[in-house]
């Protein structure tokens, strides 16, 4: 039995958080995975996992080994895929992180269509509104909707998007259309707690000067769809990504306000760890998403 096979078994167990879960995921027996991990520990002369009938955790040595092992296995897989790419052989598992904002919106259909058109690809999609650590948590790719900060990761901008400030026509009629963002300090607001700005909303003056306005939300929630529903119900003014707000704006259930003060520069990004060889399967997904968004979801069509 070679070291690489044992290493893969160890990674599978760590990422599944247990032998039973890993066995179900990879289609091998729990006993066989346990044997591989035990042989790996014997080979290294070190304990990698603390395990009892009820608990499972990495030792300090195991944590260090896992991080390096993931990098090594990915490099090997990426190299194999780079060679295989010339034959057009696109297959394997892609572990993808995406926010619920992306997946629950119409643009989330892009992932379903990719899977349908690539039957040899297994998409392991994990939805989380936090920014996952791609390297430490073993992700091949993340879809992020944000203004991307500088980092050691590689990012490709898939599409721009705007984040308009919206409210129901009934609310605007009741409290008046704000003439300046500072008016929001005394108006009902809805906060999406996924946003980095939360209670201090960003705006810009006509000359481009950036500033923030503190708001007191009537409702706070970590779901963009619930924010939209609350805005339609007239509970307050709310920032929403254009691809979330668009259907309600088109139907007249929401209107946009303070358009001249909205900041720009946000985008939908594909983010992946820096590595020498980008797997062909990941490149195929990124290319597919970029083309899908270009054809189905232009910024001009959304609002």
């Amino acid at each position: 039995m070679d070291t690489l096979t044992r290493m893969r078994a160890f990674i599978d167990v760590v990422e599944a958080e247990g032998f039973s879960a890993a066995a179900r995921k990879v289609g091998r027996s729990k006993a066989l995975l346990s044997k591989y991990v035990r042989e790996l520990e014997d080979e290294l002369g070190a304990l990698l996992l603390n395990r009892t009938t009820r608990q499972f955790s990495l030792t300090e040595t195991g944590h260090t080994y896992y991080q390096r092992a993931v990098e090594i296995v990915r490099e090997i897989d990426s190299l194999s895929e780079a060679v295989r790419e010339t034959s057009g052989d696109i297959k394997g598992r892609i572990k993808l992180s995406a926010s619920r904002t992306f997946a629950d919106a119409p643009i989330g259909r892009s992932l379903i269509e990719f899977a349908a058109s690539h039957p040899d690809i297994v998409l392991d999609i994990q939805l989380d509104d936090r920014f996952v650590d791609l390297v430490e948590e073993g992700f091949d790719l993340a879809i992020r909707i944000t203004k991307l900060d500088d980092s050691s990761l590689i990012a490709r901008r898939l599409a721009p998007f705007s984040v308009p400030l919206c409210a129901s026509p009934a609310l605007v009629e009741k409290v008046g259309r704000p003439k300046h963002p500072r008016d929001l300090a005394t108006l009902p607001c809805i906060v999406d707690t996924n946003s980095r700005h939360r209670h201090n909303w960003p705006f810009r003056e006509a000359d481009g000067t950036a500033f923030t306005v503190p708001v007191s939300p009537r409702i706070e929630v970590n779901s963009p769809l619930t924010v939209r529903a609350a805005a339609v119900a007239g509970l307050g003014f709310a920032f929403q990504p254009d691809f979330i707000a668009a259907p309600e704006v088109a139907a007249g259930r929401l209107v946009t306000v303070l358009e001249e003060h909205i900041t720009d520069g946000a985008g939908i990004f594909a983010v992946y760890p820096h590595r020498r060889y980008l797997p062909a399967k990941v490149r195929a997904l990124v290319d597919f998403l970029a083309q899908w968004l270009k054809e189905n979801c232009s910024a001009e069509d959304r609002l």
Side-chain angles (χ1 to χ4, degrees):
M1 184 56 58
D2 63 279
T3 299
L4 182 59
T5 300
R6 297 180 183 123
M7 190 182 295
R8 288 185 188 277
F10 170 69
I11 292 172
D12 288 336
V13 170
V14 172
E15 294 184 346
E17 299 183 348
F19 287 92
S20 297
R24 289 191 297 269
K25 183 176 181 179
V26 303
R28 287 181 167 176
S29 71
K30 176 181 175 181
L32 183 60
L33 291 178
S34 180
K35 174 177 178 290
Y36 288 165
V37 172
R38 187 171 61 253
E39 289 176 347
L40 181 63
E41 290 176 324
D42 290 343
E43 179 183 328
L44 296 171
L47 183 66
L48 301 177
L49 299 175
N50 291 314
R51 47 200 185 271
T52 66
T53 55
R54 293 186 179 182
Q55 293 182 331
F56 170 93
S57 65
L58 283 166
T59 65
E60 183 176 351
T61 300
H63 182 74
T64 301
Y65 186 84
Y66 168 75
Q67 290 180 307
R68 293 298 307 277
V70 167
E71 295 176 7
I72 291 169
V73 169
R74 281 183 174 175
E75 282 293 313
I76 293 171
D77 290 344
S78 296
L79 178 58
S80 298
E81 288 171 359
V83 173
R84 196 183 301 128
E85 185 177 1
T86 57
S87 67
D89 188 8
I90 306 297
K91 62 182 181 180
R93 177 180 294 269
I94 300 176
K95 187 176 180 183
L96 168 71
S97 170
S99 69
R100 291 180 177 85
T101 302
F102 181 89
D104 291 343
I107 57 176
R109 192 174 74 251
S110 59
L111 297 174
I112 305 303
E113 293 189 11
F114 174 81
S117 62
H118 293 78
D120 292 328
I121 291 288
V122 176
L123 272 185
D124 179 0
I125 304 171
Q126 300 193 20
L127 303 181
D128 202 321
D129 292 314
R130 67 185 176 89
F131 277 13
V132 300
D133 187 316
L134 298 185
V135 175
E136 183 167 346
E137 298 179 52
F139 285 95
D140 297 297
L141 180 72
I143 306 300
R144 292 182 176 171
I145 304 173
T146 185
K147 285 185 177 180
L148 199 65
D149 296 326
D150 291 335
S151 73
S152 60
L153 302 173
I154 301 173
R156 176 176 171 183
R157 188 184 179 98
L158 300 175
F161 78 97
S162 61
V163 187
L165 184 65
C166 302
S168 69
L171 180 65
V172 172
E173 182 178 354
K174 178 181 178 181
V175 303
R177 181 179 290 267
K179 296 180 173 59
H180 190 274
R182 294 190 185 88
D183 296 341
L184 294 169
T186 58
L187 293 175
C189 295
I190 304 163
V191 166
D192 185 342
T193 54
N194 292 316
S195 169
R196 70 178 66 181
H197 301 290
R198 298 233 177 169
H199 303 147
N200 291 282
W201 286 0
F203 295 95
R204 64 179 180 181
E205 297 287 9
D207 63 2
T209 303
F211 66 99
T212 61
V213 173
V215 297
S216 299
R218 184 175 178 186
I219 182 172
E220 301 179 58
V221 61
N222 65 340
S223 164
L225 296 183
T226 303
V227 168
R228 185 180 69 181
V232 169
L235 295 183
F237 293 85
F239 274 121
Q240 299 171 70
D242 55 15
F243 50 83
I244 295 289
E248 303 299 335
V249 173
R253 290 185 287 268
L254 289 177
V255 296
T256 60
V257 299
L258 297 173
E259 293 87 349
E260 67 276 17
H261 291 286
I262 302 302
T263 61
D264 55 16
I268 302 173
F269 292 89
V271 183
Y272 37 92
H274 178 76
R275 62 180 64 153
R276 186 176 177 185
Y277 303 103
L278 180 64
K281 60 187 178 184
V282 176
R283 185 181 298 110
L285 174 55
V286 172
D287 290 344
F288 182 94
L289 293 176
Q291 186 63 31
W292 192 97
L293 290 170
K294 180 179 179 180
E295 293 176 354
N296 295 276
C297 201
S298 69
E300 292 77 12
D301 292 339
R302 292 197 290 260
L303 284 176

